[in-house]
């Protein structure tokens, strides 16, 4: 059974006045929203099989590993959100087909 093929419904927005707003200083700038939107139901977690759940959600061990990895990377970046290293500055491991943060090269501990 495919739970993601439910029907798409068109739903009228509640409290939609249909008015557009002009922004100060620009008489031609307007924003408008459709009064009817498309809604696609999202299945409950109970609708998924255990096999699918295992691939969609992390268990506590995976969450802990990711948290520790994130701490090490953020410490390497000086605990500064403005110095976050993006993928274009990371190493690419061709065997694993994934980007490797410089914090994991050389085995250093940064906190």
């Amino acid at each position: 059974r495919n739970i993601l093929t439910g029907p798409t419904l068109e739903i009228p927005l509640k409290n939609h006045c249909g008015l557009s707003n002009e922004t100060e200083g620009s008489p031609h700038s307007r924003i408008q929203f459709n009064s009817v939107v498309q809604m696609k139901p999202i299945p409950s977690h109970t609708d998924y099989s255990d096999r699918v759940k295992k691939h969609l959600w992390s268990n506590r061990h995976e969450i802990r590993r990711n948290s520790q990895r994130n701490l090490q990377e953020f410490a390497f970046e000086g605990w500064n959100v403005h110095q976050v290293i993006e993928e274009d500055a990371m190493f690419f491991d061709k065997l694993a087909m994934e980007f490797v943060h410089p914090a994991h090269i050389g085995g250093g501990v940064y906190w």
Side-chain angles (χ1 to χ4, degrees):
R1 174 185 110 158
N2 189 341
I3 59 178
L4 297 177
T5 59
T8 300
L9 306 173
E10 292 205 353
I11 309 292
L13 290 177
K14 295 180 182 176
N15 303 324
H16 186 268
C17 63
L19 299 176
S20 62
N21 297 324
E22 290 188 18
T23 59
E24 277 187 42
S26 180
H28 301 292
S29 296
R30 296 176 183 256
I31 183 168
Q32 292 182 317
F33 297 93
N34 284 337
S35 58
V36 177
V37 296
Q38 290 187 348
M39 182 197 77
K40 183 84 169 170
I42 299 173
S44 165
H45 69 282
T46 59
D47 293 334
Y48 292 98
S49 69
D50 288 340
R51 180 183 63 81
V52 171
K53 286 180 192 177
K54 181 179 158 190
H55 293 287
L56 291 178
W57 290 285
S58 300
N59 62 38
R60 65 186 175 98
H61 302 292
E62 185 178 0
I63 292 170
R64 181 168 175 78
R65 278 192 310 271
N66 289 340
S67 175
Q68 293 297 316
R69 183 199 67 233
N70 292 345
L71 275 173
Q72 184 175 3
E73 292 171 1
F74 196 45
F76 181 89
E77 297 160 345
W79 305 100
N80 184 338
V81 297
H82 301 291
Q83 294 180 1
V84 171
I85 296 173
E86 300 292 342
E87 288 178 348
D88 62 347
M90 293 185 187
F91 301 97
F92 187 73
D93 181 340
K94 290 181 182 178
L95 291 175
M97 295 300 291
E98 64 185 14
F99 290 99
V100 179
H101 192 284
H104 307 295
I105 306 298
V109 176
Y110 300 97
W111 74 86

